[in-house]
Amino acid sequence: MRFASLGSGSSGNCLVAEHGETRVLIDCGLNLTEVERRLARLDLLPGQISAILVTHEHGDHADCVFTFAASHALPVYLTYGTLHSMKGGGKVLDGVKTNLISSKETFQVQDLQIKPFTVPHDAREPVQFVLSDGDKKLGVITDIGMPTPHVEQVLSGLDALVLECNYDLDMLWEGPYPRWLKQRIAGPFGHLDNRQSERLLGALDRSRLKHVVAAHLSQQNNRPDLARAALARALGCSDDWIGLATQEDGFGWRDLT
Ligand SMILES: [Zn+2]
Ligand SMILES: [Zn+2]
């Protein structure tokens, strides 16, 4: 299995994972032109994608899901709550095959096994995903207000982890956002700050972990060096070993084989 990101942050998220001829997108929150342009950057054509998995209905994850799926005849996998919310937001297009998933059941998209899991976040029925090719496991987790014992258990024993480092607590509180928004972001259904991500990473079984990428960084309330330093502290490694997913470039292919 290998994986890459087309972009990550509050202006749009999209990650691709590949095993053999199976390729899934996790979220599609960039516009159609950008998704196609950035797939080309990774030497992929839209027709090579097998399915789109959706974590939740927020625009930075879901805005282009149905447009892209309709353009390229792709199935979409999402929870009932996410589908319902996207319908309410007028984001669901007729003619796209939707597959309802449950946070309690692992499912298969061709050669990839997908395990959704519940996270605390202010969406209708949000999930995040662990993907497996039967040998290696990749966990992707963004948009979570606080770590839970369930999350720690699901993320233990992974080979690769893409982990939200949304904000630095001091930068958030000293920054320009209105108070209600600061409280939402820092609340139990908002996002992880660098220190929470550091603690979460430190609490996991990391015996197989070969890739860690900091993701969904706020351009307003965080800095790459702070996020990387926090995750490096949890691992006792150098800061530059920690990968970084950026809004513009995401990150290039990382191979798990
Ligand atoms: Zn988000
Ligand atoms: Zn969100």
Side-chain angles (χ1 to χ4, degrees):
M1 178 165 40
R2 62 177 189 158
F3 63 103
S5 166
L6 280 66
S8 176
S10 43
S11 304
N13 296 272
C14 186
L15 183 138
V16 57
E18 173 188 279
H19 175 52
E21 291 303 309
T22 308
R23 295 174 195 90
V24 296
L25 297 185
I26 297 184
D27 292 330
C28 200
L30 301 158
N31 70 49
L32 191 60
T33 316
E34 275 301 300
V35 175
E36 293 179 354
R37 191 177 71 79
R38 294 180 189 206
L39 281 173
R41 203 160 67 187
L42 295 167
D43 287 326
L44 287 180
L45 295 168
Q48 293 177 291
I49 304 299
S50 316
I52 308 177
L53 320 177
V54 189
T55 59
H56 64 300
E57 67 271 22
H58 290 162
D60 57 322
H61 299 263
D63 266 2
C64 193
V65 166
F66 277 85
T67 323
F68 188 75
S71 300
H72 302 289
L74 300 177
V76 174
Y77 291 77
L78 72 185
T79 63
Y80 174 80
T82 300
L83 177 64
H84 193 78
S85 278
M86 289 179 72
K87 272 187 180 155
K91 291 183 195 167
V92 173
L93 300 177
D94 290 339
V96 173
K97 180 168 169 43
T98 53
N99 297 279
L100 290 181
I101 60 172
S102 150
S103 60
K104 295 184 179 60
E105 278 172 42
T106 299
F107 61 95
Q108 196 89 20
V109 174
Q110 297 172 12
D111 292 337
L112 278 173
Q113 235 177 53
I114 322 281
K115 178 182 173 55
F117 59 98
T118 320
V119 291
H121 189 55
D122 52 5
R124 185 72 177 265
E125 192 184 355
V127 289
Q128 296 289 325
F129 297 105
V130 169
L131 276 51
S132 168
D133 60 9
D135 178 24
K136 308 288 189 196
K137 278 190 195 172
L138 160 69
V140 179
I141 184 162
T142 67
D143 300 72
I144 158 175
M146 60 180 179
T148 64
H150 178 58
V151 163
E152 285 181 18
Q153 188 221 320
V154 173
L155 297 182
S156 279
L158 299 175
D159 299 275
L161 175 62
V162 177
L163 173 59
E164 169 170 67
C165 292
N166 189 262
Y167 61 98
D168 171 83
L169 195 58
D170 294 333
M171 284 179 74
L172 176 71
W173 286 114
E174 287 159 14
Y177 282 12
R179 188 170 177 80
W180 66 266
L181 184 54
K182 291 177 179 177
Q183 282 170 337
R184 192 214 132 213
I185 291 169
F189 296 95
H191 293 272
L192 292 182
D193 79 77
N194 295 337
R195 279 178 293 186
Q196 286 174 302
S197 303
E198 176 187 344
R199 276 199 297 275
L200 173 58
L201 184 56
L204 304 179
D205 168 358
R206 306 181 300 276
S207 51
R208 293 169 56 111
L209 199 57
K210 297 282 192 310
H211 300 264
V212 174
V213 182
H216 212 308
L217 271 71
S218 163
Q219 287 174 307
Q220 185 72 54
N221 302 312
N222 208 354
R223 294 202 320 258
D225 60 310
L226 297 175
R228 280 178 140 157
L231 299 189
R233 274 196 301 275
L235 298 179
C237 67
S238 69
D239 295 6
D240 58 8
W241 188 84
I242 305 291
L244 183 71
T246 66
Q247 188 68 78
E248 268 311 300
D249 297 318
F251 57 86
W253 287 113
R254 286 179 166 243
D255 217 315
L256 282 178
T257 51

